Amino acid sequence: MTAVDPALQDALNHLQRMLGEDDYRIQATVVDDVSVDLRVIARDAACAECLVPKDMMRGIADEHLTATRYRVRVLLYPDDPDPDD
């Protein structure tokens, strides 16, 4: 397993804490040296009304990633189809 950039891990941990309050989790996949794909996954007690619109979440995620070299390439929400299917 490749070590994750500490700044990226900090940003992802912050996003996870934020989303975790409404019972969501975030799955991140580093795509290349500057891109990360994010998937928001709903847990059993997830608050659907609490999840902001996707364009807002992309902005929030990119803002949290400012201290890293990464930006969001793809953001998937719980009801989005898997792009690999």
Side-chain angles (χ1 to χ4, degrees):
M1 178 175 195
T2 305
V4 175
D5 176 318
L8 175 59
Q9 190 62 57
D10 286 346
L12 295 172
N13 288 343
H14 184 79
L15 286 169
Q16 179 56 63
R17 284 190 301 276
M18 183 180 70
L19 288 166
E21 291 178 7
D22 296 317
D23 213 24
Y24 289 93
R25 72 178 182 90
I26 194 161
Q27 178 182 2
T29 304
V30 175
V31 179
D32 55 35
D33 290 342
V34 295
S35 304
V36 62
D37 290 350
L38 300 178
R39 177 181 282 281
V40 177
I41 301 167
R43 295 182 179 148
D44 291 339
C47 172
E49 300 83 31
C50 300
L51 196 57
V52 299
K54 196 187 287 188
D55 59 332
M56 283 183 72
M57 180 58 72
R58 178 182 288 274
I60 291 167
D62 276 336
E63 183 178 319
H64 282 88
L65 292 170
T66 299
T68 75
R69 64 183 178 267
Y70 296 94
R71 292 292 169 266
V72 176
R73 183 185 74 146
V74 173
L75 172 63
L76 298 173
Y77 264 21
D79 291 333
D80 290 342
D82 191 339
D84 295 332
D85 287 346

